[in-house]
Amino acid sequence: MNSTGKPLIDAAIGLKPSRYPVWFMRQAGRYLPEYRAVRADHDFVAMCKSPELSAEVTLQPLRRFDLDAAIIFSDILIPCIGMGQTLTFDKGHGPELNSPIRTLKNVSDLIIPNAEKDLGFVGDAIALTKSKLRKDQTMIGFAGAPFTVASYMIEGKGSKDFTEVKKLIFRDPAIFTNLLEKLAETTILYLKMQINAGADIVMLFDTWAGQLTPDIYRTMVFPVTNRILSAIKQEMKIPVIYYPGQGSDKMYELSNCSADVISVDWRTRLGQAGKILREVGLNVTLQGNLDPQALLAPEHVLRKYVNDLKLEAINASRNHIFNVGHGLLPHIPPESISTVIDELRKC
Ligand code: CP3
């Protein structure tokens, strides 16, 4: 197969990339003063709904750093708006969804959105951003995986112990399963819309899947999640990235995963993740997995961490996309991002 001209896509599909591909989860965010300046005047959801503001903050990190990808500025909970919920991000509170989903009636009242009509602002933001990218840069679209989005819909906000979610799983599994099904259907439409607007690859975030037992994950959660990955691969013919969140045990459940890339949390060694995935018969590219807090280290230490990870990656999988193991935090010094990229490009 010929190179696509985009190092990240080449790495994702198993071709030799022309340089070491790198991007950072939450690369658009509060650690950048220029983001905070925009955010000071705008509500978070309003920024997500404005294609111009979304494209502007998506591009901010690319103006500073030589990154291989832009990930569209949005949130995994944006589709919940299209499904009929009200989403708010009050400062210091994190996301909140009104009218939590706890009954079968709540689930059946949720709307399957018309992605173009109800969530088209995300597609417009993607098209606008893409028009400003270099040819070798990749446009990443994304969505939350059904379990992670469902956990916010059920709890109504973020949670430590996921009690309301677990109540449904263990007492009323039909409600939980119905919600996941509805979310899968929505997510397929939502991602297709993003791809039609110009996304070159899409990533599915299952940040909270680590809260589940391997059995619940295997029987109730992974199949409906993988249905999204397969549908996108088969119908849209573009590569997909899956982020299964915390817990190396999860890797044992991914034998028939349709993703091209598995994004690894920092609590698992890249080599260990690759070994398990090979054992279960999966030949994928790995992405990750620097601890985002390692970006606090002094420059010479950080350069060593980057090299350690590069060495670890050599035998871990067919290719490696450099990234953090979870999103960048507001207190990360932007200079650390430049250091990582500089060290990666040295080879
Ligand atoms: O990576 C990027 O640069 C793209 C944008 C992006 C955001 N959220 C922007 C955001 C992406 C890919 C997400 C995904 C997301 N959102 C996830 C999955 C990945 C992960 O990080 O675990 C989850 C669980 C959410 C839900 C969410 N959104 C939470 C829990 C919070 C509050 C925590 C926080 O950092 O404030 C958000 C808010 C959010 N999403 C911000 C950004 C830039 C901060 C909003 C602000 O400016 O106040």
Side-chain angles (χ1 to χ4, degrees):
M1 226 192 309
N2 288 335
S3 164
T4 63
K6 296 182 192 288
L8 189 144
I9 299 294
D10 283 352
I13 62 179
L15 300 177
K16 194 174 156 37
S18 60
R19 69 174 188 174
Y20 213 118
V22 55
W23 68 282
F24 294 80
M25 289 196 234
R26 296 265 182 108
Q27 63 191 25
R30 285 167 299 185
Y31 75 106
L32 291 177
E34 57 271 36
Y35 173 85
R36 294 197 298 271
V38 177
R39 179 76 169 91
D41 296 332
H42 300 277
D43 168 70
F44 178 75
V45 176
M47 281 169 66
C48 295
K49 284 186 168 177
S50 155
E52 291 75 25
L53 288 175
S54 167
E56 164 57 25
V57 293
T58 300
L59 290 163
Q60 284 176 345
L62 284 93
R63 293 191 192 113
R64 271 186 187 248
F65 314 117
D66 186 15
L67 295 159
D68 289 288
I71 179 160
I72 196 61
F73 177 83
S74 185
D75 198 81
I76 58 164
L77 302 179
I78 290 294
C80 304
I81 302 173
M83 297 180 84
Q85 287 192 298
T86 304
L87 173 65
T88 49
F89 277 86
D90 289 332
K91 280 216 164 78
H93 279 269
E96 283 184 38
L97 289 164
N98 75 324
S99 51
I101 307 302
R102 311 241 169 115
T103 66
L104 221 39
K105 167 102 173 55
N106 293 155
V107 177
S108 57
D109 284 347
L110 288 169
I111 306 157
I112 303 279
N114 175 326
E116 281 72 19
K117 204 163 126 282
D118 304 328
L119 301 163
F121 50 86
V122 178
D124 294 343
I126 287 176
L128 193 54
T129 305
K130 191 161 180 178
S131 71
K132 309 267 168 68
L133 294 182
R134 293 194 317 253
K135 287 269 176 287
D136 64 313
Q137 289 173 320
T138 296
M139 183 72 234
I140 306 176
F142 74 88
F147 173 70
T148 292
V149 177
S151 67
Y152 286 96
M153 291 178 114
I154 296 164
E155 298 283 342
K157 52 184 172 5
S159 172
K160 272 208 176 71
D161 48 18
F162 295 79
T163 301
E164 297 300 328
V165 180
K166 301 255 166 139
K167 271 191 202 162
L168 288 191
I169 291 177
F170 294 114
R171 287 186 183 167
D172 282 303
I175 301 176
F176 178 70
T177 305
N178 271 294
L179 178 56
L180 296 191
E181 295 284 340
K182 212 153 182 177
L183 279 166
E185 201 179 327
T186 299
T187 308
I188 291 171
L189 297 171
Y190 182 54
L191 288 175
K192 283 184 177 172
M193 180 273 289
Q194 295 185 39
I195 296 160
N196 288 331
D200 301 304
I201 189 168
V202 291
M203 177 154 168
L204 199 61
F205 286 93
D206 216 349
T207 307
W208 303 126
Q211 298 293 327
L212 295 165
T213 69
D215 281 341
I216 299 285
Y217 179 73
R218 177 190 300 161
T219 55
M220 298 174 88
V221 170
F222 180 67
V224 63
T225 308
N226 200 35
R227 206 187 308 144
I228 302 171
L229 301 171
S230 317
I232 297 301
K233 282 221 45 97
Q234 281 169 19
E235 294 170 42
M236 306 307 284
K237 315 269 183 257
I238 67 156
V240 295
I241 309 173
Y242 178 52
Y243 176 64
Q246 203 177 327
S248 54
D249 235 56
K250 202 70 50 53
M251 303 293 164
Y252 288 106
E253 312 301 332
L254 300 182
S255 56
N256 62 346
C257 183
S258 297
D260 303 84
V261 183
I262 301 292
S263 197
V264 184
D265 173 273
W266 78 86
R267 297 157 183 95
T268 300
R269 275 184 195 286
L270 221 48
Q272 172 75 0
K275 186 165 166 279
I276 300 174
L277 291 171
R278 271 195 307 277
E279 258 172 48
V280 300
L282 209 61
N283 179 25
V284 287
T285 294
L286 292 183
Q287 173 174 277
N289 71 343
L290 190 71
D291 180 346
Q293 306 271 28
L295 295 162
L296 292 170
E299 185 182 329
H300 68 284
V301 180
L302 180 54
R303 287 185 185 275
K304 180 179 175 305
Y305 287 149
V306 173
N307 279 308
D308 289 349
L309 195 50
K310 269 164 87 175
L311 280 177
E312 174 114 29
I314 291 173
N315 292 317
S317 59
R318 60 184 187 185
N319 272 323
H320 179 221
I321 299 168
F322 200 98
N323 206 319
V324 269
H326 199 177
L328 295 180
L329 297 160
H331 57 268
I332 293 307
E335 307 78 67
S336 291
I337 304 292
S338 310
T339 301
V340 169
I341 297 173
D342 179 66
E343 193 58 35
L344 273 180
R345 301 275 189 251
K346 267 184 184 168
C347 58

mmCIF file with all atom_site columns, all heavy atoms in Angstrom, residues 164-179:
data_model
loop_
_atom_site.group_PDB
_atom_site.id
_atom_site.type_symbol
_atom_site.label_atom_id
_atom_site.label_alt_id
_atom_site.label_comp_id
_atom_site.label_asym_id
_atom_site.label_entity_id
_atom_site.label_seq_id
_atom_site.pdbx_PDB_ins_code
_atom_site.Cartn_x
_atom_site.Cartn_y
_atom_site.Cartn_z
_atom_site.occupancy
_atom_site.B_iso_or_equiv
_atom_site.pdbx_formal_charge
_atom_site.auth_seq_id
_atom_site.auth_comp_id
_atom_site.auth_asym_id
_atom_site.auth_atom_id
_atom_site.pdbx_PDB_model_num
ATOM 1   N N   . GLU A 1 164 ? -25.055 4.816  40.832 1.00 0.00 ? 164 GLU A N   1
ATOM 2   C CA  . GLU A 1 164 ? -26.305 4.744  40.054 1.00 0.00 ? 164 GLU A CA  1
ATOM 3   C C   . GLU A 1 164 ? -26.129 3.854  38.826 1.00 0.00 ? 164 GLU A C   1
ATOM 4   O O   . GLU A 1 164 ? -27.040 3.120  38.436 1.00 0.00 ? 164 GLU A O   1
ATOM 5   C CB  . GLU A 1 164 ? -26.770 6.152  39.644 1.00 0.00 ? 164 GLU A CB  1
ATOM 6   C CG  . GLU A 1 164 ? -27.109 7.066  40.814 1.00 0.00 ? 164 GLU A CG  1
ATOM 7   C CD  . GLU A 1 164 ? -28.230 6.508  41.702 1.00 0.00 ? 164 GLU A CD  1
ATOM 8   O OE1 . GLU A 1 164 ? -29.130 5.821  41.171 1.00 0.00 ? 164 GLU A OE1 1
ATOM 9   O OE2 . GLU A 1 164 ? -28.189 6.760  42.921 1.00 0.00 ? 164 GLU A OE2 1
ATOM 10  N N   . VAL A 1 165 ? -24.947 3.926  38.207 1.00 0.00 ? 165 VAL A N   1
ATOM 11  C CA  . VAL A 1 165 ? -24.659 3.074  37.041 1.00 0.00 ? 165 VAL A CA  1
ATOM 12  C C   . VAL A 1 165 ? -24.676 1.608  37.471 1.00 0.00 ? 165 VAL A C   1
ATOM 13  O O   . VAL A 1 165 ? -25.298 0.759  36.830 1.00 0.00 ? 165 VAL A O   1
ATOM 14  C CB  . VAL A 1 165 ? -23.271 3.426  36.437 1.00 0.00 ? 165 VAL A CB  1
ATOM 15  C CG1 . VAL A 1 165 ? -22.974 2.547  35.240 1.00 0.00 ? 165 VAL A CG1 1
ATOM 16  C CG2 . VAL A 1 165 ? -23.210 4.894  36.058 1.00 0.00 ? 165 VAL A CG2 1
ATOM 17  N N   . LYS A 1 166 ? -24.009 1.326  38.585 1.00 0.00 ? 166 LYS A N   1
ATOM 18  C CA  . LYS A 1 166 ? -23.919 -0.069 39.049 1.00 0.00 ? 166 LYS A CA  1
ATOM 19  C C   . LYS A 1 166 ? -25.286 -0.589 39.507 1.00 0.00 ? 166 LYS A C   1
ATOM 20  O O   . LYS A 1 166 ? -25.591 -1.772 39.337 1.00 0.00 ? 166 LYS A O   1
ATOM 21  C CB  . LYS A 1 166 ? -22.889 -0.183 40.178 1.00 0.00 ? 166 LYS A CB  1
ATOM 22  C CG  . LYS A 1 166 ? -21.495 0.282  39.747 1.00 0.00 ? 166 LYS A CG  1
ATOM 23  C CD  . LYS A 1 166 ? -20.547 -0.856 39.511 1.00 0.00 ? 166 LYS A CD  1
ATOM 24  C CE  . LYS A 1 166 ? -19.322 -0.363 38.762 1.00 0.00 ? 166 LYS A CE  1
ATOM 25  N NZ  . LYS A 1 166 ? -18.070 -0.901 39.200 1.00 0.00 ? 166 LYS A NZ  1
ATOM 26  N N   . LYS A 1 167 ? -26.118 0.288  40.052 1.00 0.00 ? 167 LYS A N   1
ATOM 27  C CA  . LYS A 1 167 ? -27.475 -0.133 40.421 1.00 0.00 ? 167 LYS A CA  1
ATOM 28  C C   . LYS A 1 167 ? -28.192 -0.676 39.191 1.00 0.00 ? 167 LYS A C   1
ATOM 29  O O   . LYS A 1 167 ? -28.842 -1.720 39.241 1.00 0.00 ? 167 LYS A O   1
ATOM 30  C CB  . LYS A 1 167 ? -28.270 1.052  40.968 1.00 0.00 ? 167 LYS A CB  1
ATOM 31  C CG  . LYS A 1 167 ? -28.142 1.268  42.446 1.00 0.00 ? 167 LYS A CG  1
ATOM 32  C CD  . LYS A 1 167 ? -29.202 2.293  42.866 1.00 0.00 ? 167 LYS A CD  1
ATOM 33  C CE  . LYS A 1 167 ? -28.831 2.968  44.158 1.00 0.00 ? 167 LYS A CE  1
ATOM 34  N NZ  . LYS A 1 167 ? -29.587 4.213  44.365 1.00 0.00 ? 167 LYS A NZ  1
ATOM 35  N N   . LEU A 1 168 ? -28.070 0.048  38.080 1.00 0.00 ? 168 LEU A N   1
ATOM 36  C CA  . LEU A 1 168 ? -28.728 -0.429 36.856 1.00 0.00 ? 168 LEU A CA  1
ATOM 37  C C   . LEU A 1 168 ? -28.096 -1.727 36.376 1.00 0.00 ? 168 LEU A C   1
ATOM 38  O O   . LEU A 1 168 ? -28.805 -2.686 36.041 1.00 0.00 ? 168 LEU A O   1
ATOM 39  C CB  . LEU A 1 168 ? -28.653 0.628  35.752 1.00 0.00 ? 168 LEU A CB  1
ATOM 40  C CG  . LEU A 1 168 ? -29.517 1.877  35.896 1.00 0.00 ? 168 LEU A CG  1
ATOM 41  C CD1 . LEU A 1 168 ? -29.517 2.663  34.597 1.00 0.00 ? 168 LEU A CD1 1
ATOM 42  C CD2 . LEU A 1 168 ? -30.952 1.532  36.273 1.00 0.00 ? 168 LEU A CD2 1
ATOM 43  N N   . ILE A 1 169 ? -26.769 -1.770 36.365 1.00 0.00 ? 169 ILE A N   1
ATOM 44  C CA  . ILE A 1 169 ? -26.089 -2.969 35.853 1.00 0.00 ? 169 ILE A CA  1
ATOM 45  C C   . ILE A 1 169 ? -26.523 -4.206 36.651 1.00 0.00 ? 169 ILE A C   1
ATOM 46  O O   . ILE A 1 169 ? -26.829 -5.251 36.080 1.00 0.00 ? 169 ILE A O   1
ATOM 47  C CB  . ILE A 1 169 ? -24.554 -2.800 35.915 1.00 0.00 ? 169 ILE A CB  1
ATOM 48  C CG1 . ILE A 1 169 ? -24.088 -1.746 34.904 1.00 0.00 ? 169 ILE A CG1 1
ATOM 49  C CG2 . ILE A 1 169 ? -23.837 -4.130 35.680 1.00 0.00 ? 169 ILE A CG2 1
ATOM 50  C CD1 . ILE A 1 169 ? -22.602 -1.441 34.936 1.00 0.00 ? 169 ILE A CD1 1
ATOM 51  N N   . PHE A 1 170 ? -26.568 -4.061 37.981 1.00 0.00 ? 170 PHE A N   1
ATOM 52  C CA  . PHE A 1 170 ? -26.813 -5.246 38.799 1.00 0.00 ? 170 PHE A CA  1
ATOM 53  C C   . PHE A 1 170 ? -28.282 -5.477 39.163 1.00 0.00 ? 170 PHE A C   1
ATOM 54  O O   . PHE A 1 170 ? -28.657 -6.567 39.561 1.00 0.00 ? 170 PHE A O   1
ATOM 55  C CB  . PHE A 1 170 ? -25.925 -5.197 40.058 1.00 0.00 ? 170 PHE A CB  1
ATOM 56  C CG  . PHE A 1 170 ? -24.451 -5.311 39.722 1.00 0.00 ? 170 PHE A CG  1
ATOM 57  C CD1 . PHE A 1 170 ? -23.578 -4.261 39.931 1.00 0.00 ? 170 PHE A CD1 1
ATOM 58  C CD2 . PHE A 1 170 ? -23.950 -6.480 39.140 1.00 0.00 ? 170 PHE A CD2 1
ATOM 59  C CE1 . PHE A 1 170 ? -22.220 -4.366 39.601 1.00 0.00 ? 170 PHE A CE1 1
ATOM 60  C CE2 . PHE A 1 170 ? -22.601 -6.596 38.797 1.00 0.00 ? 170 PHE A CE2 1
ATOM 61  C CZ  . PHE A 1 170 ? -21.744 -5.538 39.033 1.00 0.00 ? 170 PHE A CZ  1
ATOM 62  N N   . ARG A 1 171 ? -29.116 -4.430 39.030 1.00 0.00 ? 171 ARG A N   1
ATOM 63  C CA  . ARG A 1 171 ? -30.537 -4.622 39.372 1.00 0.00 ? 171 ARG A CA  1
ATOM 64  C C   . ARG A 1 171 ? -31.451 -4.574 38.165 1.00 0.00 ? 171 ARG A C   1
ATOM 65  O O   . ARG A 1 171 ? -32.477 -5.238 38.140 1.00 0.00 ? 171 ARG A O   1
ATOM 66  C CB  . ARG A 1 171 ? -30.985 -3.514 40.330 1.00 0.00 ? 171 ARG A CB  1
ATOM 67  C CG  . ARG A 1 171 ? -30.461 -3.646 41.714 1.00 0.00 ? 171 ARG A CG  1
ATOM 68  C CD  . ARG A 1 171 ? -31.126 -2.567 42.547 1.00 0.00 ? 171 ARG A CD  1
ATOM 69  N NE  . ARG A 1 171 ? -30.631 -2.557 43.901 1.00 0.00 ? 171 ARG A NE  1
ATOM 70  C CZ  . ARG A 1 171 ? -30.869 -1.563 44.742 1.00 0.00 ? 171 ARG A CZ  1
ATOM 71  N NH1 . ARG A 1 171 ? -31.587 -0.526 44.354 1.00 0.00 ? 171 ARG A NH1 1
ATOM 72  N NH2 . ARG A 1 171 ? -30.398 -1.612 45.962 1.00 0.00 ? 171 ARG A NH2 1
ATOM 73  N N   . ASP A 1 172 ? -31.115 -3.705 37.211 1.00 0.00 ? 172 ASP A N   1
ATOM 74  C CA  . ASP A 1 172 ? -31.988 -3.489 36.045 1.00 0.00 ? 172 ASP A CA  1
ATOM 75  C C   . ASP A 1 172 ? -31.180 -3.496 34.751 1.00 0.00 ? 172 ASP A C   1
ATOM 76  O O   . ASP A 1 172 ? -31.156 -2.496 34.027 1.00 0.00 ? 172 ASP A O   1
ATOM 77  C CB  . ASP A 1 172 ? -32.682 -2.124 36.155 1.00 0.00 ? 172 ASP A CB  1
ATOM 78  C CG  . ASP A 1 172 ? -33.833 -2.139 37.117 1.00 0.00 ? 172 ASP A CG  1
ATOM 79  O OD1 . ASP A 1 172 ? -34.751 -2.955 36.912 1.00 0.00 ? 172 ASP A OD1 1
ATOM 80  O OD2 . ASP A 1 172 ? -33.795 -1.346 38.064 1.00 0.00 ? 172 ASP A OD2 1
ATOM 81  N N   . PRO A 1 173 ? -30.497 -4.601 34.467 1.00 0.00 ? 173 PRO A N   1
ATOM 82  C CA  . PRO A 1 173 ? -29.575 -4.587 33.324 1.00 0.00 ? 173 PRO A CA  1
ATOM 83  C C   . PRO A 1 173 ? -30.246 -4.220 32.004 1.00 0.00 ? 173 PRO A C   1
ATOM 84  O O   . PRO A 1 173 ? -29.587 -3.678 31.113 1.00 0.00 ? 173 PRO A O   1
ATOM 85  C CB  . PRO A 1 173 ? -29.000 -6.005 33.289 1.00 0.00 ? 173 PRO A CB  1
ATOM 86  C CG  . PRO A 1 173 ? -29.871 -6.817 34.186 1.00 0.00 ? 173 PRO A CG  1
ATOM 87  C CD  . PRO A 1 173 ? -30.504 -5.897 35.164 1.00 0.00 ? 173 PRO A CD  1
ATOM 88  N N   . ALA A 1 174 ? -31.580 -4.482 31.882 1.00 0.00 ? 174 ALA A N   1
ATOM 89  C CA  . ALA A 1 174 ? -32.240 -4.184 30.601 1.00 0.00 ? 174 ALA A CA  1
ATOM 90  C C   . ALA A 1 174 ? -32.225 -2.677 30.327 1.00 0.00 ? 174 ALA A C   1
ATOM 91  O O   . ALA A 1 174 ? -32.085 -2.250 29.175 1.00 0.00 ? 174 ALA A O   1
ATOM 92  C CB  . ALA A 1 174 ? -33.671 -4.712 30.603 1.00 0.00 ? 174 ALA A CB  1
ATOM 93  N N   . ILE A 1 175 ? -32.360 -1.881 31.385 1.00 0.00 ? 175 ILE A N   1
ATOM 94  C CA  . ILE A 1 175 ? -32.344 -0.421 31.206 1.00 0.00 ? 175 ILE A CA  1
ATOM 95  C C   . ILE A 1 175 ? -30.961 0.010  30.711 1.00 0.00 ? 175 ILE A C   1
ATOM 96  O O   . ILE A 1 175 ? -30.827 0.762  29.744 1.00 0.00 ? 175 ILE A O   1
ATOM 97  C CB  . ILE A 1 175 ? -32.696 0.307  32.534 1.00 0.00 ? 175 ILE A CB  1
ATOM 98  C CG1 . ILE A 1 175 ? -34.081 -0.124 33.014 1.00 0.00 ? 175 ILE A CG1 1
ATOM 99  C CG2 . ILE A 1 175 ? -32.597 1.826  32.369 1.00 0.00 ? 175 ILE A CG2 1
ATOM 100 C CD1 . ILE A 1 175 ? -34.485 0.452  34.363 1.00 0.00 ? 175 ILE A CD1 1
ATOM 101 N N   . PHE A 1 176 ? -29.941 -0.523 31.394 1.00 0.00 ? 176 PHE A N   1
ATOM 102 C CA  . PHE A 1 176 ? -28.554 -0.215 31.039 1.00 0.00 ? 176 PHE A CA  1
ATOM 103 C C   . PHE A 1 176 ? -28.265 -0.613 29.587 1.00 0.00 ? 176 PHE A C   1
ATOM 104 O O   . PHE A 1 176 ? -27.746 0.179  28.788 1.00 0.00 ? 176 PHE A O   1
ATOM 105 C CB  . PHE A 1 176 ? -27.643 -0.979 32.018 1.00 0.00 ? 176 PHE A CB  1
ATOM 106 C CG  . PHE A 1 176 ? -26.173 -0.818 31.771 1.00 0.00 ? 176 PHE A CG  1
ATOM 107 C CD1 . PHE A 1 176 ? -25.534 0.386  32.012 1.00 0.00 ? 176 PHE A CD1 1
ATOM 108 C CD2 . PHE A 1 176 ? -25.410 -1.888 31.304 1.00 0.00 ? 176 PHE A CD2 1
ATOM 109 C CE1 . PHE A 1 176 ? -24.164 0.524  31.798 1.00 0.00 ? 176 PHE A CE1 1
ATOM 110 C CE2 . PHE A 1 176 ? -24.049 -1.757 31.087 1.00 0.00 ? 176 PHE A CE2 1
ATOM 111 C CZ  . PHE A 1 176 ? -23.428 -0.554 31.340 1.00 0.00 ? 176 PHE A CZ  1
ATOM 112 N N   . THR A 1 177 ? -28.660 -1.825 29.222 1.00 0.00 ? 177 THR A N   1
ATOM 113 C CA  . THR A 1 177 ? -28.381 -2.332 27.884 1.00 0.00 ? 177 THR A CA  1
ATOM 114 C C   . THR A 1 177 ? -29.118 -1.528 26.811 1.00 0.00 ? 177 THR A C   1
ATOM 115 O O   . THR A 1 177 ? -28.555 -1.215 25.759 1.00 0.00 ? 177 THR A O   1
ATOM 116 C CB  . THR A 1 177 ? -28.779 -3.826 27.808 1.00 0.00 ? 177 THR A CB  1
ATOM 117 O OG1 . THR A 1 177 ? -28.099 -4.492 28.858 1.00 0.00 ? 177 THR A OG1 1
ATOM 118 C CG2 . THR A 1 177 ? -28.402 -4.454 26.496 1.00 0.00 ? 177 THR A CG2 1
ATOM 119 N N   . ASN A 1 178 ? -30.377 -1.201 27.112 1.00 0.00 ? 178 ASN A N   1
ATOM 120 C CA  . ASN A 1 178 ? -31.138 -0.392 26.153 1.00 0.00 ? 178 ASN A CA  1
ATOM 121 C C   . ASN A 1 178 ? -30.497 0.965  25.918 1.00 0.00 ? 178 ASN A C   1
ATOM 122 O O   . ASN A 1 178 ? -30.459 1.468  24.794 1.00 0.00 ? 178 ASN A O   1
ATOM 123 C CB  . ASN A 1 178 ? -32.558 -0.158 26.672 1.00 0.00 ? 178 ASN A CB  1
ATOM 124 C CG  . ASN A 1 178 ? -33.492 -1.248 26.229 1.00 0.00 ? 178 ASN A CG  1
ATOM 125 O OD1 . ASN A 1 178 ? -33.755 -1.377 25.050 1.00 0.00 ? 178 ASN A OD1 1
ATOM 126 N ND2 . ASN A 1 178 ? -33.959 -2.057 27.154 1.00 0.00 ? 178 ASN A ND2 1
ATOM 127 N N   . LEU A 1 179 ? -29.994 1.556  26.998 1.00 0.00 ? 179 LEU A N   1
ATOM 128 C CA  . LEU A 1 179 ? -29.327 2.855  26.872 1.00 0.00 ? 179 LEU A CA  1
ATOM 129 C C   . LEU A 1 179 ? -28.068 2.722  26.001 1.00 0.00 ? 179 LEU A C   1
ATOM 130 O O   . LEU A 1 179 ? -27.830 3.541  25.105 1.00 0.00 ? 179 LEU A O   1
ATOM 131 C CB  . LEU A 1 179 ? -28.986 3.412  28.263 1.00 0.00 ? 179 LEU A CB  1
ATOM 132 C CG  . LEU A 1 179 ? -28.235 4.749  28.297 1.00 0.00 ? 179 LEU A CG  1
ATOM 133 C CD1 . LEU A 1 179 ? -28.988 5.846  27.549 1.00 0.00 ? 179 LEU A CD1 1
ATOM 134 C CD2 . LEU A 1 179 ? -27.996 5.191  29.746 1.00 0.00 ? 179 LEU A CD2 1
#
